[in-house]
Amino acid sequence: MARKSASAPTDDSIETGAESKAVRTRKRILDAAAYVLSRKGYAGTRLSEVAEIAELQAPAIYYYFPSKDDLVEEVMWAGIADMNVHVGGVLAEVPAEVRPIDRILVAVEAHMRHELEISDYTTASIRNAGQVPEKIRVRQLEEEAKYGKMWRALFDDAVAAGELRSGLDPVIARMLVLGALNWAAEWWTPERGSLDTVVRTAQDIVRNGLSPGR
């Protein structure tokens, strides 16, 4: 598997013996499920393949997850929860004097790199949002609401600073920006161009689309 991301944080330092092994095995199953789900989708995800990648016998998965849907639900939630932590952490490191529009561009890069380069969980969560049964998305939707609040604050700050073009609806603009960023998970591969180029292009489009004309 080419990339990994943490799901729900765990502190293995406080675990010992069999319990620690169980935590690691559960994480291995989740990593494998995120990998398969991000590439083959909900319908194409088979527990037998997840088990093979996790180096387990397929029946062993049921010790940790009662069903495929329980496993997928955890991955779907973790993908957005992890994105929330990652993008929030990146923004927290941005100096206070940085302009609101530039903070949006920082968030654009953090979102795209996490979605396309860092996290199979986030890729799986984004790509399968419209494929999984609604009952699986309850926790994921709660995390999406928190993530959306972070982006609303970014756009609200840009509006207050006069850094969005006149007549632009900030709510619609925000939803279109996030939709475009998420759609990259459906089409981007390294063969289509470097991720650096994709990020720079997205930032240019967002800056020029949102900012007042000069």
Side-chain angles (χ1 to χ4, degrees):
M1 285 176 279
R3 57 196 173 112
K4 280 289 181 293
S5 170
S7 55
T10 58
D11 183 1
D12 284 356
S13 65
I14 64 173
E15 309 289 352
T16 58
E19 189 173 6
S20 177
K21 181 180 179 181
V23 169
R24 292 194 300 270
T25 301
R26 187 177 189 275
K27 178 66 165 58
R28 209 161 71 240
I29 293 169
L30 284 166
D31 285 346
Y35 177 85
V36 176
L37 193 63
S38 69
R39 287 155 177 80
K40 298 192 174 180
Y42 176 71
T45 295
R46 300 284 180 268
L47 290 185
S48 57
E49 185 175 2
V50 172
E52 181 180 355
I53 293 171
E55 300 179 344
L56 297 168
Q57 295 297 316
I61 292 178
Y62 292 105
Y63 176 80
Y64 299 91
F65 300 95
S67 69
K68 170 186 169 180
D69 280 359
D70 287 294
L71 176 56
V72 170
E73 191 270 348
E74 183 77 9
V75 171
M76 296 290 286
W77 165 78
I80 300 303
D82 197 28
M83 174 83 92
N84 234 334
V85 171
H86 176 75
V87 177
V90 170
L91 288 171
E93 296 297 320
V94 177
E97 64 271 17
V98 171
R99 294 168 54 201
I101 189 66
D102 291 322
R103 290 179 63 84
I104 290 175
L105 299 184
V106 169
V108 166
E109 177 170 9
H111 180 109
M112 295 200 79
R113 291 194 182 280
H114 200 264
E115 167 193 7
L116 301 177
E117 181 179 52
I118 297 173
S119 175
D120 283 332
Y121 288 83
T122 300
T123 308
S125 187
I126 290 172
R127 295 195 68 190
N128 289 279
Q131 299 182 29
V132 301
E134 281 300 312
K135 65 180 182 179
I136 292 180
R137 296 199 64 209
V138 174
R139 282 202 301 161
Q140 180 197 17
L141 289 171
E142 291 175 354
E143 282 297 326
E144 284 183 2
K146 296 176 186 176
Y147 189 56
K149 185 176 180 181
M150 184 190 308
W151 279 85
R152 278 198 304 277
L154 291 171
F155 273 71
D156 288 346
D157 289 346
V159 170
E163 293 190 346
L164 294 192
R165 68 171 66 242
S166 176
L168 192 71
D169 186 310
V171 176
I172 294 174
R174 170 171 51 84
M175 297 304 290
L176 287 171
V177 167
L178 284 172
L181 298 183
N182 287 340
W183 182 246
E186 297 291 343
W187 61 263
W188 182 78
T189 64
E191 291 72 28
R192 288 182 177 267
S194 73
L195 183 55
D196 288 344
T197 300
V198 174
V199 169
R200 284 196 305 271
T201 303
Q203 289 176 320
D204 286 344
I205 290 172
V206 171
R207 180 189 291 279
N208 291 319
L210 298 180
S211 298
R214 292 184 174 87

